[in-house]
Amino acid sequence: MAWLILGLAGLLEIGFALCLQASEGFTQHRWTAATAVIGVASFYCLSRALVSLPVGTAYAVWTGIGAAGAALVGILAKGEPATPFRIMGITLIIAGVAALRLGGK
């Protein structure tokens, strides 16, 4: 169950990053509020996962899901460039997250 909660925390982290961009430096109040709510929800889920997962593993997976997910959304939905190095970087992050998951107890 902790891994599912951690996955949710990572997905919320993607939403946090997207809302943060949409807040335009916290000048768009609705997006600022969404950023805060989603950020707190992400931290809460991470804190629940940390009850039974090692901190190093959980934190790395959480940030990895957020980083790779935000980069993928940027490429797929926001027209950011999909250069070979960006794709390789995203792939390496995903491989690292998978390795941490598979290497756990």
Side-chain angles (χ1 to χ4, degrees):
M1 184 58 111
W3 284 102
L4 290 175
I5 294 170
L6 183 59
L8 175 59
L11 293 175
L12 288 166
E13 191 65 10
I14 297 166
F16 170 81
L18 296 171
C19 289
L20 184 61
Q21 180 188 34
S23 77
E24 297 179 9
F26 298 127
T27 61
Q28 302 298 313
H29 300 297
R30 288 184 181 153
W31 287 111
T32 298
T35 300
V37 169
I38 292 172
V40 168
S42 180
F43 273 106
Y44 175 77
C45 290
L46 175 62
S47 75
R48 298 307 307 152
L50 286 171
V51 170
S52 56
L53 296 175
V55 67
T57 300
Y59 188 77
V61 168
W62 177 65
T63 58
I65 292 170
L72 283 171
V73 169
I75 290 169
L76 298 173
K78 295 189 167 283
E80 294 177 6
T83 65
F85 280 111
R86 290 189 75 183
I87 299 301
M88 182 177 66
I90 293 167
T91 302
L92 289 170
I93 292 169
I94 293 168
V97 167
L100 287 168
R101 171 61 179 105
L102 295 172
K105 294 180 182 179

